[in-house]
Amino acid sequence: DDLRAVSIDALQNIVLGGIANFVSNSAGYLRVAKYDSAGALLWSRTYNIPGVAEDNALSDLAVDPTDSSITAVGYVDRSDLGQ
């Protein structure tokens, strides 16, 4: 796993973003997780394109200070598209 971004929302929750690697699959998955100020996990989301084993990577994230919405950016390597 590789942490790439950290942000704090209006309620002082911690939002982390990065790459998750699973033993059964060597490809990286995008992951965003939100923790409360005490460190308890509130939720976690993982993204990968089904059937594609190439790397996915989160590069950065931002939390909107008015409504705590999260925007994450990154990339997906797709050899099937010639990338």
Side-chain angles (χ1 to χ4, degrees), residues 42-64:
L42 298 173
W43 56 260
S44 175
R45 303 292 184 272
T46 303
Y47 170 80
N48 186 47
I49 298 172
V52 176
E54 282 82 8
D55 280 339
N56 303 278
L58 184 137
S59 301
D60 204 356
L61 60 79
V63 178
D64 187 311

Side-chain angles (χ1 to χ4, degrees), residues 57-76:
L58 184 137
S59 301
D60 204 356
L61 60 79
V63 178
D64 187 311
T66 59
D67 66 3
S68 294
S69 62
I70 299 166
T71 301
V73 296
Y75 69 87
V76 176

Side-chain angles (χ1 to χ4, degrees), residues 16-39:
L16 305 176
I19 303 168
N21 292 304
F22 298 99
V23 174
S24 62
N25 183 345
S26 62
Y29 287 53
L30 299 160
R31 174 164 292 167
V32 177
K34 189 172 188 177
Y35 296 84
D36 68 18
S37 59

